[in-house]
Amino acid sequence: MEAANHFTCLAYDTIDFLIQSKFIIYGIYLPEACKNSNIIFESELLPHISLGEFLEKEFSCGHSEESNVMLVMKKDDFGEDLQKKIVKFCETEFPVSGNFAVSVNTQVSSQIIDFSTLRLLPAGIRDKLEECGISALGFLGDSYNKNRRQILLSMDNLLKIVTGGQA
C-alpha cells in the first residue's frame, strides 16, 4: 500500500474525520483535557490548538468516547503564513523542535483507506468546501456503519480557519 492511503481517523458519533497521517508525528494521550493552554512535552512548550472543540461545534457532532489526545505536528509541513497564524493564535513561538499540537477529545486510530471509497466534492461547491477544510467525502455502507460519513480534512485550510481566518 502507498503511504498516501494512511490516514489518522478521528471517530466522532456520526462522522469520521480523516487526516493524512503524514502530518502526524505522534499522538500523546493525556489524563485530562487540555482546553486552551499550550502544553509542555519533553521540556518544550508546544503551541496548542483545540481542534476537537472546533469540529464538534462546526459539524454538530459529539465525541464517540472521551479520549484526550494531542496530535503532534511539525511546523515545516505547513506554509510560512500558516506558521505565523499559529504563533499569533497560540501566543507562543515554536520550540526548537518546530513541533506544535492539536487536541481532539475522541478516539483516534490509524487506518488504511481505499481511495475509491472517497468522493471528490461536486465542482459547483468544491472551492467553497475546500476553503472550509473539506477535501473529499466518503460513506461507509456496511450494516454496522450504514449511516457513517467520512470527511477528508485539509489540515492546511482547517488550521487557517481555526487560527483566525479563511484559507
Side-chain angles (χ1 to χ4, degrees):
M1 287 272 160
E2 290 184 33
N5 290 37
H6 290 232
F7 293 93
T8 298
C9 178
L10 314 176
Y12 284 84
D13 56 358
T14 57
I15 303 171
D16 291 337
F17 294 102
L18 305 173
I19 301 169
Q20 284 187 304
S21 291
K22 70 178 186 175
F23 290 110
I24 312 297
I25 299 171
Y26 51 86
I28 307 165
Y29 289 89
L30 301 175
E32 58 186 56
C34 182
K35 291 292 180 192
N36 294 318
S37 61
N38 298 313
I39 64 163
I40 295 176
F41 181 71
E42 293 186 351
S43 302
E44 289 187 322
L45 181 65
L46 299 182
H48 163 240
I49 299 166
S50 179
L51 186 59
E53 288 179 2
F54 175 82
L55 293 174
E56 288 182 22
K57 179 182 167 202
E58 294 300 314
F59 291 91
S60 300
C61 61
H63 49 270
S64 59
E65 184 177 302
E66 191 71 32
S67 183
N68 302 308
V69 180
M70 289 285 176
L71 300 174
V72 178
M73 300 180 182
K74 193 111 171 107
K75 74 172 185 164
D76 294 339
D77 287 339
F78 302 95
E80 203 171 300
D81 288 347
L82 180 54
Q83 291 176 30
K84 289 177 184 174
K85 284 184 178 203
I86 291 170
V87 167
K88 184 176 180 183
F89 179 80
C90 297
E91 298 178 343
T92 189
E93 295 291 327
F94 291 103
V96 174
S97 67
N99 294 341
F100 70 100
V102 298
S103 63
V104 296
N105 49 350
T106 195
Q107 294 177 328
V108 176
S109 64
S110 180
Q111 296 183 7
I112 296 175
I113 305 284
D114 182 355
F115 283 126
S116 68
T117 64
L118 298 174
R119 301 286 180 250
L120 289 177
L121 303 166
I125 61 172
R126 185 176 301 156
D127 289 342
K128 188 63 179 167
L129 287 178
E130 283 181 352
E131 286 177 9
C132 297
I134 300 173
S135 297
L137 300 174
F139 300 93
L140 299 178
D142 62 19
S143 59
Y144 176 72
N145 292 310
K146 68 180 179 181
N147 294 322
R148 225 160 157 74
R149 296 166 286 166
Q150 295 177 314
I151 297 178
L152 177 60
L153 298 175
S154 162
M155 281 310 296
D156 292 53
N157 291 346
L158 189 62
L159 287 171
K160 285 176 187 174
I161 294 165
V162 174
T163 58
Q166 290 297 318

